[in-house]
Amino acid sequence: GYREPGEIREKRIWDVVHPEDRPILEHVAMASNQDVGNREPLIFRMLKKDGSFVWVSGYHPGGEMQAGSKGVGCLIDITVLKNREAALSETEENYRIVLNDIEDGYVENDLSGNTIFCNDAVCKIFGVSREWLMGRNYREATDEETANACYQAFNRVYLTGIPSKSFIFETFTRGGLRKILEYSISLKKDSRGEPAGFRSIVRDITDRKQAKADVMEHRNRLRAIFRSVKDAIVTVDTDLRVIEANQAAQTICGLDTRQIIGKVFTDVSNRCDNACHEVLLETLKQKSSIMGYQVECGNPQRPSQKSDLSCSPLMDKNGKFMGAVLVIRDITRLNELERELAERSRFQKIIG
């Protein structure tokens, strides 16, 4: 930052070195009094005329540095390089913070399967410390069967170069806890484009798998109940298309439950007087329930059949209207018993 060499010529080197870096030069000067010369480059800050500083790299001339002595040195301005280095270091630290903050695990392995980097989530998933995991081969953290499956998955990525987006396997932590993990594996390459290792995103999907299994079990239980109910149950959407029908619908209404799914209900129930159509249409229109509507079905295969119809709106989990549920109860036998009871009562009155 000086205009003329004369402005700095009479200054001591200590006057233009940043105060925090002066001990570095003092140490080197003391060491040079004992050695022939120090050929290692020094990196320090020099003050500019305006008080700011630049980073420089240079060599100490060597020899004794006594009062009044002079030496020749070479200084190179490396400020841009140092700024880039600081920016790179800051970026690297930011990436490290982000990787440690995410819930998914991130791990890098060399081509032999040894861990060369991992974030905190990986340690939490496997229940181990970073010190235990670093440098350790994946075969040491799994049983033989799982290790062989992992080898096949990683080898496939190595041979094809195509990432594996969902490799799922079961393993146990060192504490004996069962885990179901999902790996997304991609190939890591060096500056020449040659395979250098693997990058993997690791997700603990144990809870998700268990929740899915619980849902399936609950659904199967409901389906079993649905099939075993003696009343006919038919669900339709807002367009009157059949969503589901139980086995009793075939017994009571003569419907082929395997063929009617997805079809408009009014187009498939043609073996009766279609008295239930009116109930369904009214429910879809009013979005309200109709209970205890008794009809004579007019089914030629069961001419004396009478049914009790109940129809209610079908709602999704958010309370949104999505169709209707029709329940058809065969009350033929009940009507016969009531009629028989009425006749007996009338006969008893005549005798009395």
Side-chain angles (χ1 to χ4, degrees):
Y2 296 91
R3 292 186 177 181
E4 300 291 337
E7 294 183 72
I8 193 174
R9 185 174 294 143
E10 299 303 322
K11 289 181 177 290
R12 297 181 308 158
I13 185 67
W14 315 111
D15 296 334
V16 293
V17 173
H18 194 284
E20 295 179 5
D21 295 343
R22 288 170 187 170
I24 299 175
L25 265 67
E26 291 173 355
H27 175 74
V28 173
M30 293 177 61
S32 296
N33 289 336
Q34 321 256 320
D35 298 333
V36 176
N38 179 22
R39 305 311 300 165
E40 290 296 324
L42 300 175
I43 296 177
F44 57 95
R45 288 166 290 181
M46 290 193 69
L47 297 173
K48 298 175 68 174
K49 186 177 181 180
D50 61 5
S52 61
F53 66 86
V54 292
W55 283 96
V56 297
S57 173
Y59 290 92
H60 190 275
E64 296 187 2
M65 293 288 289
Q66 298 176 353
S69 64
K70 297 181 180 180
V72 178
C74 176
L75 299 176
I76 302 173
D77 186 350
I78 61 169
T79 305
V80 173
L81 181 63
K82 289 293 287 185
N83 288 341
R84 288 178 179 174
E85 185 181 280
L88 180 62
S89 178
E90 182 180 358
T91 301
E92 196 174 285
E93 180 61 23
N94 288 338
Y95 279 133
R96 191 179 301 275
I97 292 172
V98 170
L99 285 174
N100 283 327
D101 283 347
I102 62 175
E103 292 184 3
D104 291 341
Y106 176 81
V107 61
E108 294 185 4
N109 298 86
D110 60 22
L111 292 176
S112 299
N114 302 313
T115 304
I116 57 176
F117 177 81
C118 68
N119 67 350
D120 292 344
V122 169
C123 300
K124 182 179 179 180
I125 289 171
F126 284 96
V128 296
S129 65
R130 191 186 301 271
E131 292 73 21
W132 186 91
L133 194 59
M134 293 301 295
R136 197 172 294 270
N137 194 275
Y138 70 93
R139 291 186 175 275
E140 299 179 54
T142 59
D143 57 62
E144 184 176 355
E145 183 179 353
T146 303
N148 290 335
C150 289
Y151 172 79
Q152 295 295 330
F154 279 87
N155 191 52
R156 187 161 48 250
V157 173
Y158 174 79
L159 294 175
T160 64
I162 301 174
S164 174
K165 295 184 178 180
S166 183
F167 168 57
I168 298 175
F169 64 94
E170 183 176 314
T171 188
F172 289 86
T173 66
R174 294 191 73 196
L177 188 62
R178 173 179 170 272
K179 296 264 187 175
I180 301 176
L181 305 180
E182 180 183 53
Y183 264 59
S184 296
I185 310 165
S186 60
L187 192 62
K188 179 182 176 184
K189 296 184 178 181
D190 60 19
S191 58
R192 298 172 299 174
E194 297 295 326
F198 303 94
R199 295 187 179 97
S200 302
I201 299 295
V202 188
R203 298 181 183 89
D204 183 356
I205 60 172
T206 309
D207 293 341
R208 191 175 79 192
K209 281 287 187 180
Q210 185 60 51
K212 187 176 180 179
D214 291 343
V215 169
M216 286 300 297
E217 182 181 355
H218 181 64
R219 184 175 296 172
N220 291 335
R221 188 163 53 247
L222 290 178
R223 186 172 286 117
I225 295 172
F226 186 69
R227 286 197 303 264
S228 64
V229 172
K230 293 183 179 181
D231 296 340
I233 302 175
V234 180
T235 58
V236 298
D237 62 16
T238 53
D239 295 322
L240 215 61
R241 295 188 180 276
V242 178
I243 300 173
E244 198 163 4
N246 68 348
Q247 189 64 35
Q250 183 167 344
T251 304
I252 296 175
C253 304
L255 301 175
D256 188 341
T257 55
R258 295 170 298 179
Q259 299 296 325
I260 66 174
I261 304 301
K263 295 182 179 179
V264 177
F265 185 68
T266 52
D267 294 341
V268 296
S269 54
N270 54 5
R271 295 184 181 180
C272 60
D273 292 341
N274 298 327
C276 55
H277 292 183
E278 182 182 345
V279 176
L280 264 175
L281 291 170
E282 189 66 19
T283 299
L284 291 175
K285 180 181 178 181
Q286 300 297 334
K287 298 181 182 178
S288 60
S289 299
I290 297 176
M291 310 298 291
Y293 188 79
Q294 296 187 4
V295 298
E296 293 185 0
C297 295
N299 190 332
Q301 295 180 346
R302 306 177 71 182
S304 61
Q305 178 174 306
K306 291 193 67 174
S307 298
D308 181 275
L309 308 181
S310 295
C311 196
S312 301
L314 182 63
M315 305 292 185
D316 66 10
K317 62 180 181 180
N318 297 317
K320 182 180 178 181
F321 181 73
M322 58 179 291
V325 181
L326 174 65
V327 179
I328 306 172
R329 174 170 295 177
D330 185 355
I331 59 172
T332 307
R333 179 59 178 162
L334 179 61
N335 275 330
E336 290 176 353
L337 291 174
E338 287 178 348
R339 187 171 58 252
E340 183 179 338
L341 183 60
E343 290 177 356
R344 288 184 179 181
S345 177
R346 188 166 57 251
F347 181 72
Q348 288 176 354
K349 288 181 180 180
I350 294 173
I351 296 175

